[in-house]
Amino acid sequence: MSKDQPISPAVMAQRRAPSAPTSQSADSDTVRLTGTAAEVVAPEEMTGSQAIIRSLELLGVTDVFGLPGGAILPTYDPLLDTEKINHILVRHEQGSGHAAEGYALASGRVGVCIATSGPGATNLVTALADANMDSIPMLAITGQVASSAIGTDAFQEADIVGMTMPVTKHSYLVTDAQDIPRVLAEAYHLASTGRPGPVLVDVAKDAQQATMTFSWPPEVELAGYRPVTRGHSKQIREAARLIAAARRPVLYTGGGAMRADVAAELLELAELTGAPVVTTLTARGVFPDSHRQNLGMPGMHGTVPAVYALQQADLLITLGARFDDRVTGQLDTFAPHAKVIHADIDPAEISKNRVADVPIVGDLKYVVPDLTQAVRQEFQDREAPELSTWWEALESLRETYPLGYTRTDDGHGSPQYVVERISALTGPEAVYVSGVGQHQMWSAQFVAYERPRQWLNSSGLGTMGFAVPAAMGAKVAQPDRVVWAIDGDGCFQMTNQELATCVINNIPIKVAVINNSSLGMVRQWQTLFYDGRYSNTELDTGHDSRRVPDFVKLAEAYGCAALRCEKDEDVDATIERALEINDRPVVIDFVVSANAMVWPMVPSGVSNDQIQIARNMTPEWKTED
C-alpha cells in the first residue's frame, strides 16, 4: 500500500487483530499471494494497459464485466489480444458491478468489473457499497483522467477513490505505470482474504499509456495486514465449556459461514451438539433446509421457531453473523437470557452490537473444526447436555406455526405459490437470485435451500435492481446450472437492460417477475402503519390493460422468450415451459395479487417477542426464566 494513501477502516480493523498464522511470514509483511498463477514472468517492456490485462491473467481472472469510455479506453485495446479473459459488455456500469457480485457469490472467486472515469465510476458506487455490506470479494478497475489533470475538474473527472473509501475494503489511485502489477496483486489479495470485500483500483490515463517494465510475481507488502485464521485455543476451549453446559443453545449462523465455505464443518458441529440452527438471509443454504435441526431464517420475516429459539436461548453460538438489526429487532431485548459465543474473521464485528462473552477472532474454516474437536473432548469428559425439553418446545412451535400462506381471493395469482413451485420444479441444484422487497422474503422463505451458493441476494444494503445483472454474473460463473432471477416489477425496471447483454452473450437466465403492480414491501408498510394511504406505490404494470410497460413485449423486444401467467392453475405449466427453453433468456410475467403480504413480521424497532404471524396476530410462547 502506498505510504501516501490513507488506509480504509476495514483494513485498519483487521490490523487490530492479534497475531496468528496467516499467509504472511511472521518476520515480514511480504505477502505470498494465494490463488495466482505459478508462472514467473521475466522482465519485459509493455504499456501500463497491457500490464493491467497481463496481471489479471496471472491472477487467474477469466471473466470481467465492463463498459468502455475515454479514460479506460487504453486498457480496452489489449483486451482484444487476450484469449484468457472473457469480457462481457454490459449496458450500464451498475450492471457490471452487480454481475461481478453475482459471479463472486456463485463461484467463491473474485468478481471483476471495469468502468471509465466520472459517471462510469460513480455508477459503480452502489454495487461497491452492496458488496461491502455483504462481504463479497470484488475488484473494480476504473479509468481516471491524466494525472496532470487530476484536481482541475477535467472532463469526466471524479474523485472515485475518495468517494468509495467508506464503502470498500480499500481504494487505490495509480499514477505510475510501474505500480500496476503490485497494486492489482494487492487489491486481489485484499478482496479475497480476511473478511472478503470490494477493492477499487483507479488508474490514471497516462499511467495506462506509459511504458513500464513488467515482471511477475510482484513483491507485495501490506504492512500490518494479517488477518487471523486460527482462533485462540483458550477461547475455543471456553466456548466448548459453555456449549457443554447449555440447555437451550442455538447455532446462529450468518453470511460469514457462507463466505468461509464451512457447510460440511457446520453440519458436523450441529449434529455433535444437537443444537437448533438458524440461518440468516445471507446464510440460507449453508445448512440444509431438510435437516431436522434447521429452524429456518430468524429476524423480521423469520420463522416463528427461529425467532423464538433466539429469544429463549441460554447460549448463542454465533458464527459469522453480525447481530444485524433485521435479525435482532430492538437490540436490548434480543436474546435476553443468552450468553454469547461470537466467532468472526473481522475483529471489528466482535461485540460491536452485542457484547460477546467468548470472542473468537478467526477464519471459520479453522475455527469451526477446532470448536468441534473441543466440544467432542468436553462431551467425553462429561455427558453431553440433555436438550429434549428444549426440542419439545421448538417442535411444538414448528407444528403450531408452520411457515405458510393464504392464497389470495381477488382473482390474481398468489406470489408465494409461484415461488414455491419454481423451487419444487427446478430443484436445489439451481441458483436463485432475488431483487429486494416482498419477493425477496418469499424467495428466502419458500425456496428449499439444500446447498451453499444456491441463494444470492442483496441483504445488507437492500439494493433494488440486483437480481437480473447478478443472475447474469452467476450464470457466467456456473454455466451448467439453471439460474433464476426472482424479481419484482419495481426492481426489474431498474436493471432489465442487462437482458440485452444476456441475449447477445448467450447467457440464458430465467427471470420470474413477481408482478403485483406496486412497490410491494412499501405498500405493505403503508397498509399496516399508514392506514392504507398508498402514496406513490402503484406502478401500473399488471392489473389492467395499461401495463406500462408490458413485460412480455419488453422481453420480446430484447430477444428473450416471453411468457405470462395470471392464475395459480397455470403456474406449473408456465414454469415447465420456461425450463424447456435454454437457448435464450426467458422472462415470465407472473401477475399476482397486490394484497399478498409477507408473514411472519416483526415491525421495525420493536422486540422480536412481538412477531406477528398475520395482522394483529402474535403467537404465544412461555418465557423461560
Side-chain angles (χ1 to χ4, degrees):
M1 227 167 274
S2 301
K3 293 182 179 178
D4 58 346
Q5 292 180 344
I7 306 303
S8 68
V11 173
M12 286 300 296
Q14 294 206 358
R15 288 184 177 187
R16 291 194 293 269
S19 297
T22 68
S23 59
Q24 292 166 281
S25 166
D27 301 317
S28 170
D29 288 318
T30 300
V31 175
R32 294 193 297 274
L33 297 177
T34 58
T36 62
E39 183 178 351
V40 174
V41 177
E44 59 179 303
E45 296 293 308
M46 63 178 64
T47 65
S49 293
Q50 290 172 319
I52 291 174
I53 303 305
R54 191 76 177 104
S55 297
L56 291 177
E57 290 176 343
L58 290 163
L59 287 165
V61 174
T62 56
D63 302 279
V64 300
F65 305 86
L67 186 68
I72 196 65
L73 199 56
T75 295
Y76 268 79
D77 185 67
L79 260 176
L80 287 174
D81 301 324
T82 179
E83 297 180 354
K84 295 181 179 179
I85 297 176
N86 171 39
H87 178 274
I88 295 165
L89 176 62
V90 298
R91 292 330 187 241
H92 191 286
E93 291 90 354
Q94 183 178 348
S96 72
H98 292 324
E101 289 186 273
Y103 184 94
L105 287 170
S107 67
R109 301 171 60 195
V110 175
V112 182
C113 56
I114 303 177
T116 193
S117 64
T122 61
N123 282 342
L124 285 179
V125 172
T126 295
L128 289 166
D130 192 271
N132 192 59
M133 286 286 276
D134 287 351
S135 303
I136 299 172
M138 189 167 105
L139 172 59
I141 300 170
T142 54
Q144 182 54 274
V145 300
S147 56
S148 61
I150 293 175
T152 69
D153 292 331
F155 177 67
Q156 290 193 333
E157 180 188 359
D159 179 13
I160 195 64
V161 169
M163 291 180 194
T164 59
M165 282 196 70
V167 296
T168 57
K169 194 170 177 182
H170 190 59
S171 295
Y172 291 87
L173 173 61
V174 180
T175 58
D176 184 344
Q178 199 61 49
D179 291 336
I180 286 172
R182 173 185 59 81
V183 168
L184 285 175
E186 286 183 9
Y188 192 95
H189 182 74
L190 284 170
S192 57
T193 59
R195 179 177 183 168
V199 178
L200 178 129
V201 177
D202 194 36
V203 189
K205 189 172 184 178
D206 54 325
Q208 297 173 55
Q209 295 170 321
T211 301
M212 53 85 70
T213 303
F214 183 91
S215 63
W216 195 269
E219 184 170 302
V220 175
E221 294 187 5
L222 294 170
Y225 177 73
R226 299 186 179 187
V228 175
T229 53
R230 292 282 184 183
H232 196 288
S233 58
K234 180 180 178 182
Q235 300 298 84
I236 296 284
R237 290 194 300 271
E238 181 58 29
R241 282 193 286 269
L242 286 185
I243 292 170
R247 294 299 177 266
R248 299 189 303 276
V250 178
L251 279 157
Y252 166 27
T253 309
M258 188 74 75
R259 302 294 176 267
D261 288 318
V262 292
E265 295 86 348
L266 174 62
L267 180 64
E268 184 179 3
L269 176 62
E271 292 184 339
L272 174 64
T273 62
V277 180
V278 301
T279 52
T280 66
L281 188 60
T282 51
R284 303 287 288 118
V286 77
F287 191 79
D289 280 356
S290 59
H291 197 286
R292 170 187 169 273
Q293 288 172 242
N294 193 336
L295 298 183
M297 183 175 71
M300 177 175 278
H301 295 295
T303 67
V304 171
V307 172
Y308 168 88
L310 290 174
Q311 288 300 97
Q312 301 302 311
D314 64 2
L315 178 65
L316 300 185
I317 310 163
T318 310
L319 303 174
R322 57 190 181 89
F323 294 88
D324 176 73
D325 64 290
R326 285 303 192 259
V327 170
T328 67
Q330 185 180 338
L331 184 60
D332 60 6
T333 67
F334 177 68
H337 316 293
K339 291 185 177 181
V340 173
I341 299 166
H342 193 176
D344 201 287
I345 198 166
D346 185 355
E349 288 297 342
I350 307 289
S351 295
K352 182 178 77 174
N353 294 329
R354 173 68 177 262
V355 174
D357 296 278
V358 180
I360 304 173
V361 177
D363 187 337
L364 293 182
K365 196 68 175 177
Y366 299 96
V367 170
V368 175
D370 288 349
L371 182 57
T372 301
Q373 183 178 352
V375 170
R376 186 172 285 112
Q377 184 62 52
E378 281 290 322
F379 287 179
Q380 289 175 357
D381 294 343
R382 54 175 167 168
E383 290 186 5
E386 174 55 57
L387 303 182
S388 59
T389 302
W390 181 222
W391 272 110
E392 285 173 9
L394 297 175
E395 293 291 5
S396 176
L397 279 174
R398 185 147 56 183
E399 182 177 344
T400 306
Y401 302 105
L403 192 61
Y405 57 91
T406 301
R407 293 204 188 192
T408 55
D409 57 6
D410 58 4
H412 296 297
S414 305
Q416 303 97 322
Y417 181 71
V418 171
V419 173
E420 191 174 58
R421 296 310 297 162
I422 288 173
S423 172
L425 293 172
T426 311
E429 291 306 311
V431 175
Y432 301 88
V433 189
S434 85
V436 170
Q438 286 181 313
H439 64 280
Q440 176 189 28
M441 294 300 105
W442 289 321
S443 297
Q445 292 173 335
F446 295 108
V447 175
Y449 296 107
E450 296 295 320
R451 63 175 187 83
R453 306 193 183 282
Q454 183 187 344
W455 161 241
L456 321 180
N457 76 120
S458 169
S459 179
L461 196 65
T463 303
M464 293 179 68
F466 177 85
V468 170
M472 177 175 70
K475 184 65 173 177
V476 172
Q478 301 284 346
D480 295 329
R481 294 189 187 276
V482 174
V483 177
W484 278 99
I486 302 176
D487 219 352
D489 46 311
C491 288
F492 181 64
Q493 293 186 77
M494 293 189 174
T495 53
N496 64 41
Q497 71 276 353
E498 299 309 332
L499 288 173
T501 309
C502 291
V503 168
I504 291 169
N505 291 277
N506 190 28
I507 306 171
I509 65 172
K510 304 183 191 305
V511 183
V513 182
I514 309 300
N515 182 5
N516 59 9
S517 196
S518 65
L519 298 171
M521 189 62 85
V522 182
R523 189 180 192 276
Q524 175 167 330
W525 281 54
Q526 288 173 334
T527 299
L528 296 175
F529 308 121
Y530 292 87
D531 299 320
R533 290 165 56 83
Y534 300 119
S535 174
N536 293 284
T537 46
E538 173 60 47
L539 292 179
D540 294 314
T541 54
H543 290 164
D544 56 39
S545 58
R546 292 184 64 184
R547 287 198 169 113
V548 183
D550 184 317
F551 290 140
V552 168
K553 292 180 179 178
L554 180 69
E556 289 174 341
Y558 275 125
C560 303
L563 308 169
R564 177 172 287 128
C565 179
E566 300 184 88
K567 297 184 182 300
D568 285 354
E569 53 263 34
D570 298 329
V571 165
D572 277 20
T574 306
I575 295 170
E576 288 168 351
R577 174 64 183 133
L579 290 171
E580 292 171 353
I581 301 171
N582 294 301
D583 61 343
R584 60 198 185 280
V586 183
V587 176
I588 309 174
D589 180 13
F590 285 105
V591 181
V592 299
S593 174
N595 296 323
M597 292 196 189
V598 181
W599 300 110
M601 178 178 181
V602 179
S604 181
V606 305
S607 169
N608 282 349
D609 288 326
Q610 297 182 43
I611 187 173
Q612 297 178 16
I613 55 174
R615 194 169 186 179
N616 300 320
M617 292 180 61
T618 299
E620 296 182 2
W621 58 56
K622 178 180 179 295
T623 301
E624 301 290 344
D625 295 329

